Amino acid sequence: MAENGQIRIALAGNPNCGKTTMFNNITGAKQHVGNYPGVTVEKKEGHTNFDGQELLFIDLPGTYSLTARSLDELVARNVIVNDNPDVIVNVLDASNLERNLYLAAQLLELEKPMVIALNMSDVAEDMGIKYDLKKMAEMTGATIVNTVGRTNIGTKELLEATVSVAASKKASGVTINYGDLLEGKIAELVDLLKEAGTVTYPLRWIAVKLLEKDADVIGKVMRFDNTEAVIQKAEAIREEIKNQVDLDVVFQEYRHRFAVEVY
Ligand code: GDP
Ligand code: MG
């Protein structure tokens, strides 16, 4: 929480999940639109008072993933890892959970307290889609709220959950399991990152991104002291296993598997 007691919330989600509708429901006219420094990606912030608390919402660009391959995805994840919001509110289109949970899987790796807004729950109901909220909460470690953005249903419950999760300061604690081979490699890199003792980002996320050869994360890590060994190790691991597995595909598969298991 910021020193002035304001709770800062990153609003994340796929394009067309109803994120802007939710943002408008929550913040009304109290919005400010600008650009992220140096890029033409729109930065929208808005605030509201709820239950005696000041909440600042940052509407992230809508994305399907969090790679370094698109500017929108880079901006979205950098807001989370650099600006350090207190909570991620991940808006999901409940009628399209498989695709929407693929992003959720990646947001979980950023180790922030998380609330999931199952939006478009009216559409999901009309389509006869059933999901197990209890199982979903267990598997994601997030607090889950049903919402209908178009009719402003569930907004109060979403704000209640957000304030409560922010107060707990507890990250969801869930991580995607990438299988024995990769988990072993991730653990080796996390150990080296711990030894370096300088990197201030979530270490497991960094390890995964180093294995994915994420240019932005490699650059980030190089800016910290004592990180030559871990950069070299990641490169060596990629060389060592490149004939066994296509790392990009494997990471995608496990995230997708997680998404399918969750609902
Ligand atoms: P964004 O791309 O995530 O910002 O999505 P928008 O907020 O622009 O919403 C996309 C469309 O979905 C708009 O036509 C909204 O009116 C509609 N919409 C948003 N939330 C809901 C909802 O819960 N149910 C239904 N049926 N439509 C919604
Ligand atoms: Mg939008």
Side-chain angles (χ1 to χ4, degrees):
M1 211 174 293
E3 266 166 38
N4 58 8
Q6 185 185 59
I7 300 173
R8 296 167 67 250
I9 300 130
L11 201 55
N14 284 183
N16 294 316
C17 66
K19 203 156 57 63
T20 298
T21 306
M22 300 294 297
F23 180 74
N24 291 340
N25 289 345
I26 293 165
T27 64
K30 295 178 191 159
Q31 297 184 4
H32 172 79
V33 183
N35 276 332
Y36 287 99
V39 294
T40 54
V41 177
E42 188 180 82
K43 179 175 196 180
K44 251 188 352 189
E45 294 187 345
H47 59 97
T48 189
N49 272 293
F50 182 77
D51 214 8
Q53 303 252 28
E54 171 79 8
L55 311 189
L56 175 77
F57 279 83
I58 306 157
D59 188 21
L60 301 181
T63 64
Y64 296 109
S65 189
L66 289 178
T67 68
R69 288 190 283 270
S70 100
L71 187 55
D72 279 353
E73 295 180 29
L74 265 177
V75 165
R77 75 184 201 190
N78 275 335
V79 168
I80 297 169
V81 298
N82 292 336
D83 297 359
N84 216 16
D86 300 292
V87 184
I88 297 172
V89 171
N90 183 12
V91 182
L92 266 57
D93 173 352
S95 71
N96 203 344
L97 278 174
E98 192 171 317
R99 191 167 68 183
N100 280 247
L101 282 162
Y102 186 81
L103 176 67
Q106 294 171 76
L107 291 167
L108 288 170
E109 293 188 325
L110 303 179
E111 296 179 19
K112 291 278 171 205
M114 191 150 122
V115 176
I116 288 177
L118 275 186
N119 195 42
M120 308 262 181
S121 47
D122 57 331
V123 181
E125 196 176 321
D126 286 349
M127 290 168 72
I129 296 172
K130 301 243 183 303
Y131 35 82
D132 182 343
L133 280 182
K134 190 159 167 277
K135 181 179 158 212
M136 211 182 280
E138 274 167 16
M139 283 202 64
T140 59
T143 301
I144 302 186
V145 181
N146 274 302
T147 62
V148 183
R150 185 174 276 175
T151 50
N152 205 359
I153 288 171
T155 307
K156 180 167 168 282
E157 290 77 7
L158 179 64
L159 293 176
E160 276 166 3
T162 302
V163 168
S164 153
V165 167
S168 81
K169 293 192 189 341
K170 269 212 229 79
S172 92
V174 168
T175 51
I176 311 312
N177 186 316
Y178 290 114
D180 290 345
L181 173 66
L182 290 188
E183 285 299 329
K185 305 300 181 194
I186 292 167
E188 280 182 48
L189 292 177
V190 167
D191 282 347
L192 284 176
L193 286 161
K194 280 184 186 156
E195 252 169 62
T198 50
V199 177
T200 53
Y201 295 105
L203 297 187
R204 184 180 162 86
W205 176 69
I206 291 286
V208 168
K209 290 289 148 191
L210 289 178
L211 290 177
E212 288 182 285
K213 203 174 184 169
D214 182 300
D216 179 70
V217 164
I218 293 171
K220 277 182 167 60
V221 172
M222 287 190 336
R223 270 176 249 131
F224 292 97
D225 290 334
N226 296 330
T227 54
E228 295 83 4
V230 70
I231 297 275
Q232 278 169 17
K233 184 70 187 179
E235 183 64 49
I237 292 171
R238 285 197 307 263
E239 270 304 305
E240 176 201 330
I241 61 178
K242 77 173 181 208
N243 295 326
Q244 281 170 268
V245 287
D246 180 335
L247 277 170
D248 281 351
V249 172
V250 174
F251 278 115
Q252 277 173 33
E253 274 176 5
Y254 277 102
R255 287 178 186 133
H256 184 248
R257 191 179 298 182
F258 172 83
V260 173
E261 274 170 10
V262 162
Y263 79 99

